[in-house]
Amino acid sequence: MKRILTGIKPTGEITLGNYIGAIKQMVNMQDEYETYLFVADLHALTVPQDPKELHDRIKRFVAMYIACGMDPNKCTIYIQSENVYIPAMSYLLECTTSYGEASRMIQFKEKSKENKNFSVGLLTYPVLMAVDILYCDADYVPVGIDQKQHVELARDIAIRFNSRYGDTFNIPEPLVTSVGTKIKDLKDPSKKMSKTEDSPTGVISMYDTKEEITKKIMGATTDSDNTIKFDPDNKPGISNLLNIASSLSGRKIEEIEQEFARSGYGDFKKYVASVVVEKLGEIQDKYNKLINSDELNKILDEGKTKTEKLAKEKYELMKQRMGVIR
Ligand code: ATP
Ligand code: LTN
């Protein structure tokens, strides 16, 4: 069975964009692949975080993964920082990665411009991400287009390590989620819906109430021609709502277009809101049952034990290959 793996940084609350673009793909793939899903909390530290908020968010992420449909009996769920071999391996790989390679990463260039006091961790972030992928010999890494360059760097690092020190890592491939599932900010549909974006009415969090969801969708930016048609270039707002409704209801976009061919934007938005309210309601019910349960700790303990064993074996092999042994 091929292995897939992905992680999400707990830099803010999980959004509808994360659910449709990342978690739902993993839910759909967990039957066919050996699946690893983790909370990338060490990655969150590359930009300043409030410790109390970060701590609370980590467990919420795990409960939300499961509430969204990840089945702990089929996949391995864990917290990145609980695997002590991950940062240790990251140092070893940092020593095989050039400064030039790391500083060419687009995300590093962008984020280091935003804050001149950026941390060294922001530069080494893609090497840590390479370890996340390589320690368990993942075959495929489902990511958004913005992360493709990092997975390609992980490939380069693995190929170089293998040729310098002998076969050690499997070479992973990025699985870029399709353009159709890139969910946009409801207020500014030229931007993606993002958990760190300061856009209180443009971003739907997975914890939003029925009233909040309805208000945000009814207030979503659209256009003035009053036709419900999928046309992302000319009608980004309506196309975004069609994408959301289609992804959550499982209905085809054309079917929804036809149903609302003679309706105004108000009726269409009410429908989209009802679809989101229903889906998020189901997820939130499951989440509320899980968040304080012992089951969560059991799942995380199992994830830690399993992934630590794999990482330890790889770490020992790397050390041996690199000559850092007694
Ligand atoms: P940040 O604001 O910290 O950059 P983010 O919300 O943009 O966070 P990431 O943690 O970078 O999300 O991404 C986690 C996963 O969710 C990635 O696979 C990414 O492609 C996916 N994802 C994030 N936002 C969206 C979106 N709006 N539509 C579809 N997929 C998304
Ligand atoms: N960098 C990713 C999160 C992430 C990840 C990973 C994704 C950390 N490690 C390993 C896939 C595989 C992000 O910002 N979305």
Side-chain angles (χ1 to χ4, degrees):
M1 214 180 204
K2 296 278 190 192
R3 244 174 224 181
I4 56 165
L5 167 142
T6 205
I8 305 182
K9 310 182 289 273
T11 45
E13 297 305 344
I14 297 187
T15 69
L16 186 65
N18 297 135
Y19 172 64
I20 294 176
I23 304 174
K24 204 162 156 280
Q25 320 288 335
M26 295 297 280
V27 171
N28 293 340
M29 291 168 96
Q30 65 184 333
D31 288 322
E32 265 177 80
Y33 295 89
E34 190 183 334
T35 305
Y36 290 73
L37 179 61
F38 64 97
V39 184
D41 56 346
L42 295 176
H43 281 268
L45 291 177
T46 55
V47 290
Q49 299 293 332
D50 177 86
K52 163 96 176 60
E53 272 177 31
L54 180 60
H55 169 253
D56 291 346
R57 220 183 276 136
I58 291 171
K59 216 161 182 190
R60 284 208 291 274
F61 262 52
V62 177
M64 191 47 89
Y65 286 168
I66 300 166
C68 286
M70 294 307 298
D71 179 350
N73 295 315
K74 291 183 192 154
C75 63
T76 306
I77 298 173
Y78 60 103
I79 297 172
Q80 180 190 33
S81 66
E82 290 195 344
N83 189 331
V84 295
Y85 297 99
I86 300 278
M89 288 164 87
S90 188
Y91 176 75
L92 298 182
L93 287 190
E94 275 167 32
C95 295
T96 71
T97 307
S98 73
Y99 173 79
E101 264 178 324
S103 57
R104 270 197 296 279
M105 294 295 112
I106 297 163
Q107 197 176 58
F108 170 71
K109 286 201 221 164
E110 285 175 359
K111 296 221 165 168
S112 57
K113 252 190 244 144
E114 283 166 22
N115 176 4
K116 283 289 161 219
N117 281 327
F118 62 84
S119 66
V120 176
L122 190 70
L123 176 72
T124 56
Y125 166 116
V127 184
L128 180 63
M129 179 161 162
V131 172
D132 290 332
I133 299 168
L134 300 176
Y135 87 90
C136 69
D137 292 315
D139 294 292
Y140 300 109
V141 187
V143 282
I145 188 81
D146 57 319
Q147 295 297 317
K148 188 166 176 245
Q149 196 189 25
H150 291 161
V151 183
E152 279 160 359
L153 179 69
R155 281 174 66 87
D156 292 345
I157 292 174
I159 292 168
R160 183 181 317 123
F161 194 100
N162 286 353
S163 76
R164 193 180 289 173
Y165 298 109
D167 226 12
T168 308
F169 300 117
N170 182 47
I171 311 301
E173 275 180 48
L175 272 190
V176 177
T177 44
S178 70
V179 187
T181 51
K182 185 104 309 189
I183 303 305
K184 303 292 170 52
D185 186 287
L186 297 173
K187 273 289 160 202
D188 179 359
S190 66
K191 290 192 308 205
K192 80 164 188 169
M193 188 182 281
S194 167
K195 57 180 135 59
T196 50
E197 197 61 49
D198 186 18
S199 174
T201 52
V203 176
I204 295 185
S205 138
M206 295 301 284
Y207 307 95
D208 278 353
T209 61
K210 182 178 172 194
E211 290 72 29
E212 285 166 333
I213 296 168
T214 308
K215 199 164 165 219
K216 288 178 189 178
I217 293 187
M218 295 310 289
T221 302
T222 49
D223 51 58
S224 55
D225 84 348
N226 231 23
T227 46
I228 292 147
K229 199 165 159 291
F230 189 74
D231 179 356
D233 291 335
N234 300 308
K235 297 171 70 65
I238 288 292
S239 305
N240 190 36
L241 293 177
L242 278 165
N243 253 332
I244 293 173
S246 165
S247 308
L248 298 186
S249 66
R251 294 175 74 193
K252 287 209 169 71
I253 286 188
E254 301 84 64
E255 198 186 320
I256 306 174
E257 279 175 341
Q258 271 169 21
E259 182 182 334
F260 289 93
R262 270 175 283 282
S263 310
Y265 285 176
D267 284 343
F268 170 61
K269 283 179 168 175
K270 268 189 212 149
Y271 166 71
V272 180
S274 72
V275 171
V276 180
V277 165
E278 190 186 330
K279 188 73 204 173
L280 263 49
E282 284 166 19
I283 293 175
Q284 288 169 5
D285 285 348
K286 261 177 105 177
Y287 171 88
N288 289 332
K289 287 193 190 109
L290 269 165
I291 187 66
N292 291 316
S293 73
D294 285 342
E295 199 189 335
L296 222 50
N297 277 324
K298 205 173 137 253
I299 293 163
L300 288 174
D301 287 345
E302 281 170 10
K304 173 174 154 63
T305 307
K306 178 170 173 186
T307 58
E308 232 170 24
K309 184 168 178 286
L310 281 172
K312 182 173 192 292
E313 278 167 22
K314 197 63 100 182
Y315 175 62
E316 300 294 351
L317 180 63
M318 285 170 78
K319 279 183 67 197
Q320 193 189 5
R321 294 258 151 97
M322 295 176 94
V324 276
I325 41 169
R326 197 190 292 179

